[in-house]
Amino acid sequence: MREATVGIVKPKRLTFAAHPDQLVLESGLKLGPISLQYETYGELNDERSNAILVFHALSGDAHAAGYHKEGDEKPGWWDNAIGPGKAFDTDRYFVICSNIIGGCKGSTGPSSENPKTRKPYGLQFPMITVKDMVNAQAALLDHLEVGQLLATVGGSMGGFQALQFAVSYPNRCKLVIPIATAGRQSAQNIAFNEIGRQAIMADPHWNGGDYYAGEAPVDGLSIARMVGHVTYLSDETLMKRFGRKAKTGTCTNGGLSLQPYFEVESYLRHKGNSFTRRFDANSYLYITRAIDLFDLAPGCDSLSSAFRDCRSRFLALSFSSDWLYPPYQSEELVEGIQQSGLAVEYHRIESSYGHDAFLLEADKVEEVISRFLIHEGRKKYFEVDQGYPIS
Amino acid sequence: MREATVGIVKPKRLTFAAHPDQLVLESGLKLGPISLQYETYGELNDERSNAILVFHALSGDAHAAGYHKEGDEKPGWWDNAIGPGKAFDTDRYFVICSNIIGGCKGSTGPSSENPKTRKPYGLQFPMITVKDMVNAQAALLDHLEVGQLLATVGGSMGGFQALQFAVSYPNRCKLVIPIATAGRQSAQNIAFNEIGRQAIMADPHWNGGDYYAGEAPVDGLSIARMVGHVTYLSDETLMKRFGRKAKTGTCTNGGLSLQPYFEVESYLRHKGNSFTRRFDANSYLYITRAIDLFDLAPGCDSLSSAFRDCRSRFLALSFSSDWLYPPYQSEELVEGIQQSGLAVEYHRIESSYGHDAFLLEADKVEEVISRFLIHEGRKKYFEVDQGYPIS
C-alpha cells in the first residue's frame, strides 16, 4: 500500500482578481490578475466535505504528489504522505495543493509579467504576507466550490499558512495540522533569512531585482540556499552522512584549497547550485520576508489571542532534532491554543533528521495523522454560523 | 578586584624563521620570515614556571587584556578573565597571547608582504594548520626563554590550539584548559565555514585573493561574518535581546523592504560591516580552512590515541547553550582524555549566551579556573624527560 501513488497528475491554473477586482493585500496595495498553479488528488465527495488543503514550505510548489509524466525521476514533494492508503489517503480525501503568490512555480510572483509594464515585476511586485497567501488560496477554494475544508496541513512555512487560514477563516476549516512550525518567526530564523537576502542582494547580477533579461544572481541565491539547507538538517545527520570525509582526489598542493575539500562542502555547493536552476531570487527575497513578518499575535506574549474566533481542532507535530522550528516553539503554539479553549493534540516525534523530518518521517506520523483525520473528522465540532457563500 | 586591569600594554613583535631557516609547515612548504605580534601581562618568575599561553579564536588577536592607550574604548578581548585577581591572575602568572600565523593583526598572513614578490601574498600564502600555528608559538616561547608552560588555555579555535600544543609538545605544558571546543571540527561547522568562504569568493572584489591594491571584498566578508555571528549566539539570546522588535521609522510602503526591518537584521548588518574594517578576507579563508582541517585523531572514532604521549592535566569547560561546539563535543574530548589515562576535570556551565559564553561568562568560570591553576599547578605530574632546550 505504501508504494501506492496518485499516478500521473495534471497541474491546473486558476486566474482571477483581474482589474477592477484585484486582491487587496495586507499592505493595502492591490494585486491582479493573479494566477494560482495548483494540483488536486482524489475525488471531492458529494457532500463536498472531504477536502484537505496542503500548504507548501519556502521552496515548495503545487506538485505535492504523483508524477507529471511517465519516467519522471521524482514524485511530488510530499508523495510519501499523500496517496492511496497514506496519511492523506486519496481514496478518502480530496487533496489540494497550490503554489503560493510570490512564488515562481506557476503562481503570480515577482518573475511574472507586470500588467502595467508588460515586463517582469521584479521589485515592483508588492510585498506579500502569509495572510495574503491564504487569502489567494481561499479564492481557489471558492472556485473549486469547497466551502469548508475537512483539514489544512503544512510544515514549516506551510504550517504558518495552515495556522493563518484557521485564524483568517474561522468557519472554513474543521481540522488544522501544523507541523514543525511556530506561531511566530523567531529572531534567529529572521537572522538566517536575512543572511540569505544579503547574499542575493550583494550579487552584482541581482541588479536591484531587475535581472530577468540577463544573467540571474545565481551565486547569491546559491549561498542563500546553502544557509537555508544547513538549518534544515541536523548536526547529527551531517555527521552521520558526511562526517569529515574528504573528497577523493582532492589535493591542496600546499596552497589554500578553494575547491571543496570535505564531502559536506561539495554536497552544499551542489544543493546551492541546483536550487538556482529551479528558483527565482526575487521570490526568495519576498517569501523569506513574508516568513519573517509572520506573527499570529503581534505584541502579545501568548499566542492565545490569535485563536479568539477560531473553532478548529488542532494536531501539532514537532521533531526532536529540529533546531529551525524546535519543539519548544510548537509547544508555545499548543499552549496558546489550549489557553484559548480549543482542542489540540500534540506529539513531539523522535527524529535525527532536523527540520527536514517533516518531509522525511512520513512513516512515523502516518498513523497519528490518519487517526486524527478519521476520528476527529467525524465529530461535529461547530455548526457553521452561516453557510459559507460559494461563488 | 574585578575592576582591576593590567593597564596600558605595549604590543611586541618577534620576527624569526628568516631564510634559510624558514618554518617547515605541515604541508611540507616553508614559511619565513615570520612575524608574531604578541602581548604579555604579569611577570615571569625566577623559576620561569608561571607562564600561561592564551590562544585566541578565529577573529581574535594578541590583544587579550588591558588597553593600548589611555582613552581606548574597549580593553583586550579577554580582559574579564586576565588581570590582577582574575581567573588568570596577573599578580601570580605571566600571561602570553600571540596573534596566529595566517592572521591579519600583526602576525604573518596572506596580507603580509611575500618576500619573493614584494607584494602581499594573497593566495600565494601557503596553507596553514592548527599544528603550524602552535609550532610558530613554540618558537615565541623559545624566544621568551619559557621552557615549560604552567598552562595553555583557549576557547573555540583557541581550544584547538591548546589541545594541539599539548599533543605536539608533550613536555612543554603542565595544565591545559580547552573551553567551548572540540577534538575535531564537526561536519555542521565545516558547512557554516564553507558558506562564509563561498560568500567571500563570490564577491567580485575578491578577485582570486588579489585585492590589496584595490577595493576589498567587504560584501562577501560581511556575509561570512553574519553567518559566523549567528552561530556564536543562541536562539534564546537573540530572542531576549531582539525578539521581533522592528526598527523605528521603518516603512515598507507596500513594496519589498530591503532595508533592515527587524532590529536583529540591523544588528547583524552592523556586525558584518564593522568586521570588514578590522579583518582581512583572505585571512578568513585560510583560518577557517585550518579550523575545518583540525582533527586530533584523524580516522579514529575515539580521540584517545591523540594523547598517547601527552602527560598534561586537563580542565575542560563547555556551555549548555553553545550549539557551535556543544557540550557533547567537549564530552567526547573528555572521554578521549580519560581513556588515555590522563586526569581531566570537566564542567558543563549553564549559560544562555551560546558559544559566546566562553567570552562572556568569565565570572562563572573564574573560581574553577583559579582553583585548578593553583591546586593542580602545585603538583608535580611529570618530570620533564630532558630539560627543554632554551634557545
Side-chain angles (χ1 to χ4, degrees), chain A residues 16-312:
Chain A
F16 64 102
H19 179 83
D21 299 315
Q22 294 103 320
L23 185 72
V24 179
L25 300 172
E26 202 178 345
S27 64
L29 296 183
K30 290 176 175 181
L31 179 66
I34 293 174
S35 289
L36 282 188
Q37 176 106 347
Y38 69 100
E39 297 186 8
T40 65
Y41 321 105
E43 299 295 327
L44 189 60
N45 63 14
D46 293 344
E47 299 79 28
R48 312 187 91 72
S49 64
N50 68 335
I52 296 176
L53 182 55
V54 173
F55 297 104
H56 69 72
L58 168 55
S59 63
D61 54 32
H63 186 38
Y67 299 84
H68 282 158
K69 58 177 193 306
E70 294 290 344
D72 272 3
E73 227 172 276
K74 283 184 181 177
W77 57 269
W78 219 14
D79 191 75
N80 56 5
I82 302 167
K86 297 181 185 177
F88 300 95
D89 185 350
T90 49
D91 290 338
R92 286 174 175 271
Y93 308 116
F94 176 61
V95 178
I96 309 157
C97 184
S98 144
N99 185 213
I100 55 168
I101 56 167
C104 51
K105 305 299 190 74
S107 292
T108 300
S111 57
S112 305
E113 187 184 280
N114 181 347
K116 284 190 190 148
T117 63
R118 301 273 162 205
K119 286 180 186 171
Y121 278 103
L123 294 199
Q124 299 302 310
F125 195 74
M127 187 62 213
I128 43 108
T129 64
V130 171
K131 215 177 264 185
D132 298 325
M133 294 176 193
V134 304
N135 286 344
Q137 291 176 81
L140 171 63
L141 296 183
D142 293 346
H143 166 76
L144 296 172
E145 299 185 12
V146 171
Q148 192 182 89
L149 290 162
L150 172 66
T152 59
V153 60
S156 200
M157 184 189 78
F160 287 5
Q161 293 171 78
L163 293 166
Q164 185 62 57
F165 189 93
V167 165
S168 292
Y169 298 93
N171 290 338
R172 288 195 87 164
C173 182
K174 209 168 179 181
L175 309 176
V176 184
I177 310 180
I179 306 180
T181 192
R184 52 171 63 106
Q185 175 80 340
S186 73
Q188 181 171 284
N189 289 0
I190 294 172
F192 279 121
N193 279 344
E194 172 65 4
I195 293 168
R197 288 188 292 263
Q198 288 292 319
I200 289 169
M201 297 189 293
D203 188 322
H205 291 124
W206 179 64
N207 190 32
D210 182 11
Y211 54 79
Y212 296 105
E215 244 179 285
V218 294
D219 286 348
L221 181 58
S222 173
I223 290 165
R225 179 60 168 178
M226 287 192 259
V227 175
H229 200 75
V230 175
T231 67
Y232 305 151
L233 305 176
S234 69
D235 187 20
E236 190 181 343
T237 296
L238 285 167
M239 211 58 199
K240 274 189 191 157
R241 188 154 164 199
F242 304 104
R244 298 184 43 78
K245 282 200 289 284
K247 292 284 288 179
T248 44
T250 309
C251 172
T252 71
N253 73 25
L256 179 65
S257 169
L258 298 175
Q259 287 314 304
Y261 187 85
F262 291 102
E263 284 190 6
V264 65
E265 298 174 299
S266 162
Y267 167 77
L268 263 192
R269 290 197 198 180
H270 168 73
K271 283 285 174 188
N273 287 334
S274 62
F275 187 64
T276 64
R277 288 191 292 272
R278 65 180 179 88
F279 215 82
D280 173 52
N282 282 336
S283 274
Y284 201 88
L285 298 179
Y286 276 85
I287 299 172
T288 56
R289 195 47 122 186
I291 289 173
D292 291 349
L293 289 169
F294 180 70
D295 187 346
L296 271 182
C300 304
D301 273 351
S302 163
L303 292 163
S304 64
S305 63
F307 299 99
R308 212 170 16 230
D309 300 323
C310 180
R311 285 171 306 159
S312 308

Side-chain angles (χ1 to χ4, degrees), chain A residues 127 185 188 194 197-198 201 235 244 254 257-259 261-262 265 269 289 292-293 295 328, chain B residues 127 185 188 194 197-198 201 235 244 254-255 257-259 261-262 265 269 289 292-293 295 328:
Chain A
M127 187 62 213
Q185 175 80 340
Q188 181 171 284
E194 172 65 4
R197 288 188 292 263
Q198 288 292 319
M201 297 189 293
D235 187 20
R244 298 184 43 78
S257 169
L258 298 175
Q259 287 314 304
Y261 187 85
F262 291 102
E265 298 174 299
R269 290 197 198 180
R289 195 47 122 186
D292 291 349
L293 289 169
D295 187 346
Y328 85 84
Chain B
M127 188 61 214
Q185 175 81 339
Q188 181 172 284
E194 173 65 5
R197 287 189 292 263
Q198 288 292 319
M201 297 189 294
D235 187 20
R244 296 184 45 78
S257 168
L258 298 176
Q259 287 314 305
Y261 187 84
F262 292 102
E265 298 174 299
R269 289 198 198 180
R289 196 46 124 183
D292 292 349
L293 288 169
D295 187 346
Y328 85 83

Side-chain angles (χ1 to χ4, degrees), chain B residues 1 4-6 40-53 81-96 146 148-151 175 366-379:
Chain B
M1 241 352 211
T5 166
V6 299
T40 65
Y41 320 105
E43 299 294 327
L44 188 61
N45 63 14
D46 292 343
E47 299 78 27
R48 312 187 89 73
S49 64
N50 69 334
I52 296 176
L53 182 56
I82 301 168
K86 297 182 185 177
F88 301 95
D89 185 349
T90 48
D91 291 336
R92 285 174 176 271
Y93 308 117
F94 176 62
V95 178
I96 310 158
V146 172
Q148 192 181 89
L149 291 162
L150 172 66
L175 309 176
E366 181 176 310
E367 194 252 329
V368 65
I369 290 176
S370 300
R371 189 173 37 75
F372 179 78
L373 290 174
I374 294 169
H375 287 225
E376 304 298 318
R378 273 189 203 130
K379 297 182 191 169

